[in-house]
Amino acid sequence: MLYIASVGSSSGRQKISNEDLCSINPELNSKVLEELGVKTRYSCFPLEVLAADSTPRQRDEKALCSPTDLGKQAVDSALKGTAISPEQFGLVLGYCHSPHQLAPSEGQRIADKLKLKIPSFDVGSSGADLLLHIYTLLSWKEEVVPEVSLCVAANSPTRHINYSEGIAGVLLSDQAAALVITKNLDYSPLFKVVECSYGLKNSFSYTEIPIYEHLSFSYPVPSAVIEEEVSFISSIKEKYKSQFSNFYYASSLPIPSLILEIAKKSNTQPLIEGLINEGCSLSTTPFSALYFELAKLQSNDGVILTSSGLGEKKGYTVLERL
Amino acid sequence: MLYIASVGSSSGRQKISNEDLCSINPELNSKVLEELGVKTRYSCFPLEVLAADSTPRQRDEKALCSPTDLGKQAVDSALKGTAISPEQFGLVLGYCHSPHQLAPSEGQRIADKLKLKIPSFDVGSSGADLLLHIYTLLSWKEEVVPEVSLCVAANSPTRHINYSEGIAGVLLSDQAAALVITKNLDYSPLFKVVECSYGLKNSFSYTEIPIYEHLSFSYPVPSAVIEEEVSFISSIKEKYKSQFSNFYYASSLPIPSLILEIAKKSNTQPLIEGLINEGCSLSTTPFSALYFELAKLQSNDGVILTSSGLGEKKGYTVLERL
């Protein structure tokens, strides 16, 4: 059995408002922005550099912070107020779908920032890394899973966005999320991992934002995507209906109005405050949602998080608030 | 202290002779081929598919085996004749610079083939993965390093080569190498890792073969590359001159005549039989050299292996034959 002892989140330093976007991209107007529903988002790069349609390398030169800085801040926010210190970590799993440097891995860079000389790796799927981290730990024999593991995804999609056209700039944000995973109840964990899976083949085909040439998405989102997600969430709810009274839902889907629609149709409570106010960074976003709306959740509430990754593979986890 | 308990190697099933290459690439002639010095090489794809200038995806469809199959064969060859079984591995480090699929990682695919539910990750640098694996294990606190670890690099560069022009097809081969690393002398290891480093910035600028859009190399190789390597090898020899009577040298450099020249100038014994008869797969090749020429090495011989990776970073290790 695995538990989430703590969760943290951080965002880029450069706030980008809807007004900022409209001044760069003539296609945008208040109707489109309202429909999409993201109010602010954050970048690791200064606004004037993003507005200049610069290349990723040019942006790196002017970066306000790196994905690794974001990751470290997310770890700090996860540890704040807990009795857990980095020395207790036995493993660091990291990932960055938009790294500023290729080697060593993001996990190694984070471990280095924490001054840890321990196993540190990247396990990633671009859109569902943190889910894949939990799934990976669950796939091992329990005795080889460390007592406490750190999982961090730190993404900087704004490094790749052309802000003068399209809606990628409206939705995406530089963000990191960190999870402290433990197999020991002594750490007074926030959540029990009731179930976690990764690799379900889904038919989500709305993704087309070129990040690292892997990811992309189109708008409007086909209704089949919504129907499939509603059907999936409903089947999970059915399975756990006797266990949980309330079901919350968060997702790596980058559009708040879409999550609201899915939540409404599946009769779950959406966790989207973080998404509206911080933008989306795919794999990190459902876990940042937990961080931002933790106060809403009560003991015995169920949380369903979904995330889609490379190769149109989907992951999900069901968590119980302890 | 880390030791190499065992080493293994494997190659693709499709043999490609110099005659085969000449029939596909009109630029090639016996003079060029002799100068380069590789006599045969192996691919995971049938010759007629490679000759048809097919895309990587088209080649995958006709593949005779996957990089993971190659990796598994290299592990089998490393374990053959030893008392070590896969159940003893506490960790699998893998890498493939030319994967047929992106997720999960090569390390996870290898662990799955070995039916192991243990920590399995990719750590890679395209040209120096196995060195980076050793370096990674050495960078941890000794108590967290598993008793026995498996390191595997399985590369399939022939997936990306245009055989109708250039010399990439002459030099490169699909190959895997496996190392069983232990911190325990009870496993009667073959080698002691005397020193290992990765990340030295070097000025090697001869690499230009497009594999995964990271790697490439040009020919003829600038003489500065040779001089730098000679100077580097000589400095290592000087450091260990009182410890070893004989020094052997192997490298990820893909051209046998180049290795011969460097060995001659640095007064070391070249390990190139494997390279001549199997071709080069970059990170795997210096370790395949150990496998093919193990019988040459005697107790107290020193072996210097060098390998260059992403971002023109270089790794090396000094091994003592026990």
Side-chain angles (χ1 to χ4, degrees), chain A residues 35-94:
Chain A
E35 203 174 285
L36 293 170
V38 177
K39 289 185 177 162
T40 48
R41 69 289 298 157
Y42 292 83
S43 172
C44 292
F45 310 96
L47 190 60
E48 62 272 21
V49 174
L50 298 175
D53 196 19
S54 39
T55 65
R57 286 277 165 231
Q58 287 167 336
R59 293 181 189 189
D60 290 350
E61 283 166 22
K62 307 281 185 181
L64 303 168
C65 62
S66 69
T68 312
D69 295 326
L70 282 188
K72 171 65 165 54
Q73 286 162 29
V75 176
D76 291 343
S77 90
L79 296 183
K80 200 176 170 182
T82 73
I84 302 166
S85 70
E87 293 68 40
Q88 289 164 282
F89 299 148
L91 173 71
V92 178
L93 297 183

Side-chain angles (χ1 to χ4, degrees), chain A residues 91 93 102-103 108 117-124 136 139-141 144 213-214 310 313, chain B residues 91 93 102-103 108 117-124 136 139-141 144 213-214 310 313:
Chain A
L91 173 71
L93 297 183
L102 285 168
Q108 285 170 289
K117 291 184 174 297
I118 61 167
S120 315
F121 298 97
D122 272 12
V123 173
T136 297
S139 72
W140 301 346
K141 297 180 288 188
V144 303
E213 298 178 328
H214 291 151
L310 281 177
K313 283 187 172 170
Chain B
L91 173 70
L93 296 184
L102 285 169
Q108 285 171 290
K117 291 184 174 297
I118 60 166
S120 316
F121 299 97
D122 273 11
V123 173
T136 298
S139 73
W140 300 348
K141 296 178 290 187
V144 303
E213 297 180 327
H214 291 151
L310 280 176
K313 283 186 172 168

Side-chain angles (χ1 to χ4, degrees), chain A residues 131-156:
Chain A
L131 276 176
L132 188 54
H133 292 176
I134 299 173
Y135 178 67
T136 297
L137 293 172
L138 280 171
S139 72
W140 301 346
K141 297 180 288 188
E142 197 173 336
E143 67 263 33
V144 303
V145 177
E147 191 80 0
V148 186
S149 302
L150 172 66
C151 301
V152 194
N155 295 327
S156 180

